[in-house]
Amino acid sequence: MKPSFSIITIFVLALQIGCQSGSNNQTKHANETMKANITKTAWGALPDGTTVDLFTLTNKNGLEAKISNYGGIVVSLFTPDMNGKMEDIVLGFDSLDEYVKDTPYFGSIVGRYGNRIAKGRFELKGKTYNLAKNDGENHLHGGLKGFDKVVWEAVPDTSSGEASLNLTYVSPDGEEGYPGNLEVRVVYTLTNQDELKITYFATTDKQTPVNLTHHGYFNLTGGAKRDILAHELSINASGFLPVDSGLIPTGELRALNGTPFNFKTPKPIGNDINFDDIQLKLGLGYDHTWVLSNHKPIGEVGLAATLLDPESGRYMEVWTTEPGIQFYSGNFLHGKYKGKGGVVYQDRWGLCLETQHFPDSPNRLIFPSTILVPGDHYSSTTIYKFSVKRKL
Ligand code: GLA
């Protein structure tokens, strides 16, 4: 294995947007009077005629997120680099039609169950439930029409001085094979501390598995200039979950030391990704759940991961209440998608850090439970926090 990470000396800098000047129209300026804002525009219609909107959230520092009520998709997210230049740090498409046609979950809300359920089947209270098998013999990301493909009821809110988008959806009993009417609310907030905060809530009228997550593909270069192999990642984990050939956890919790999965200290993603390791071969790269060791009290967020693009200086922290994080290194992009601005997304052109409970938990009683019971309230919070670091 190569040395685990390249050492660079860095300074954490306060965001300097207000001090920067520039002529590029992608450069936005914060000023004393700038306030959080949210606007709504029509984005198009689905093949059945349902109209879809696009909401633009801005915070007081000029960060901007465009979010659709179709799939709760974060279509773009502009954050500053070390020179204050605002650029888009997520993969996606320019038009609604392209998302509807074929997307690998770019920027979407994933549910009812983020990740895989083996053989699309689980038992609850003695009854077997059969789900759609949309990933070989397994069920993935909520099925054929998961929460990434439904139109959510959207209500913008700036009453707290921050831009929030409240999304609600009622998933009917039996949808994609899951029991119970599930009432779901997801709130995206672009905070004035330069965070994209996502809170998830759900209630049900029958016991059912729930594991909601966000499927943003990050590329901190801005405008997806390069692949993400030079991004330096750290994951605050005690181990990872090895998988079988269908990417279903085997039930083992494997220690990280001495494996290419060790991101305890920041390491360029490309360092060990081609290491001769059966788990990397099965995932075509990283596509595994790390078991977080941030030991936070229930309901409080802990630091799960950090990500730095040394070239642009963009730095992201991921905080979550969840016990796990799926790090997916964009192994199935295969140059198949022509994304925003005509950029073709090759393998490893974006990476996902999906906070969640563990895959296949309904069939693995040793994993933390994902079963929501009537009367209980599901809630989960994840924060993607943006800043910059500068090389000396
Ligand atoms: C998740 C999975 C991957 C892949 C992507 C979508 O991250 O873990 O295996 O299915 O979603 O392409």
Side-chain angles (χ1 to χ4, degrees):
M1 203 184 310
K2 290 186 200 152
S4 63
F5 65 102
S6 63
I7 299 172
I8 55 165
T9 314
I10 42 182
F11 273 136
V12 180
L13 293 179
L15 295 182
Q16 292 183 323
I17 318 156
C19 316
Q20 303 296 331
S21 63
S23 54
N24 189 314
N25 65 2
Q26 285 184 324
T27 305
K28 299 190 171 95
H29 303 271
N31 60 50
E32 304 278 299
T33 58
M34 197 151 176
K35 281 214 292 216
N37 192 28
I38 180 161
T39 57
K40 170 179 163 181
T41 51
W43 200 35
L46 302 182
D48 70 0
T50 309
T51 55
V52 167
D53 296 315
L54 191 61
F55 295 83
T56 302
L57 289 71
T58 42
N59 78 355
K60 73 176 178 53
N61 302 318
L63 271 70
E64 180 199 278
K66 286 193 188 288
I67 305 177
S68 175
N69 60 336
Y70 176 70
I73 294 172
V74 177
V75 172
S76 63
L77 180 55
F78 281 75
T79 70
D81 70 2
M82 62 170 83
N83 298 313
K85 185 174 183 197
M86 291 287 186
E87 288 171 306
D88 190 2
I89 60 156
V90 293
L91 305 190
F93 297 115
D94 285 321
S95 71
L96 172 64
D97 291 353
E98 290 162 291
Y99 282 99
V100 173
K101 206 170 98 204
D102 181 22
T103 167
Y105 306 91
F106 282 146
S108 61
I109 295 167
V110 169
R112 295 188 184 190
Y113 200 96
N115 221 310
R116 294 173 174 81
I117 296 178
K119 301 194 168 51
R121 194 167 62 217
F122 64 91
E123 268 183 36
L124 211 49
K125 291 172 93 182
K127 193 172 167 204
T128 301
Y129 291 90
N130 289 296
L131 308 169
K133 294 178 182 173
N134 58 328
D135 189 52
E137 61 170 4
N138 300 321
H139 175 83
L140 174 69
H141 292 339
L144 296 170
K145 189 177 178 192
F147 292 174
D148 59 298
K149 295 181 185 69
V150 302
V151 177
W152 297 67
E153 191 72 42
V155 179
D157 179 14
T158 51
S159 59
S160 65
E162 299 192 309
S164 285
L165 186 65
N166 279 271
L167 298 171
T168 49
Y169 175 67
V170 181
S171 173
D173 190 4
E175 190 172 47
E176 297 294 317
Y178 288 99
N181 292 293
L182 189 74
E183 298 193 11
V184 190
R185 184 159 74 95
V186 178
V187 184
Y188 281 109
T189 304
L190 189 62
T191 75
N192 289 329
Q193 286 73 47
D194 297 340
E195 302 159 327
L196 181 68
K197 180 177 176 186
I198 314 173
T199 44
Y200 308 83
F201 306 93
T203 53
T204 183
D205 57 6
K206 281 185 194 159
Q207 284 198 25
T208 190
V210 185
N211 191 26
L212 305 176
T213 191
H214 171 70
H215 210 291
Y217 286 68
F218 295 95
N219 181 322
L220 301 184
T221 64
K225 296 184 192 71
R226 302 175 283 283
D227 64 39
I228 49 78
L229 293 175
H231 282 39
E232 295 175 16
L233 174 70
S234 77
I235 307 179
N236 192 6
S238 54
F240 79 102
L241 302 179
V243 291
D244 66 15
S245 59
L247 302 186
I248 300 288
T250 59
E252 179 193 346
L253 167 61
R254 192 172 292 173
L256 298 165
N257 287 348
T259 76
F261 290 79
N262 190 355
F263 286 91
K264 285 183 186 166
T265 50
K267 173 174 80 172
I269 290 166
N271 257 33
D272 298 336
I273 201 167
N274 294 318
F275 195 70
D276 186 13
D277 177 282
I278 180 70
Q279 284 299 317
L280 287 172
K281 290 200 165 66
L282 290 171
L284 300 183
Y286 297 106
D287 193 359
H288 297 77
T289 300
W290 271 252
V291 175
L292 296 174
S293 58
N294 43 16
H295 304 303
K296 61 244 169 197
I298 288 176
E300 284 184 27
V301 293
L303 183 63
T306 68
L307 187 68
L308 170 72
D309 171 36
E311 187 97 14
S312 68
R314 287 195 181 85
Y315 182 66
M316 181 174 89
E317 291 171 2
V318 185
W319 294 76
T320 189
T321 55
E322 287 298 308
I325 192 165
Q326 180 87 3
F327 163 40
Y328 166 58
S329 52
N331 314 318
F332 305 124
L333 291 172
H334 299 336
K336 193 175 149 198
Y337 304 95
K338 194 189 256 187
K340 286 178 272 189
V343 177
V344 175
Y345 299 146
Q346 303 294 349
D347 285 341
R348 283 92 191 241
W349 221 257
L351 70 108
C352 302
L353 290 166
E354 306 157 47
T355 54
Q356 54 190 238
H357 273 55
F358 307 159
D360 200 30
S361 298
N363 294 309
R364 288 270 175 201
L365 299 182
I366 52 164
F367 288 170
S369 174
T370 52
I371 305 302
L372 180 67
V373 301
D376 274 3
H377 294 262
Y378 172 96
S379 84
S380 171
T381 300
T382 292
I383 295 170
Y384 297 96
K385 182 172 177 57
F386 306 102
S387 59
V388 290
K389 288 187 172 204
R390 179 168 288 190
K391 278 192 236 182
L392 265 187

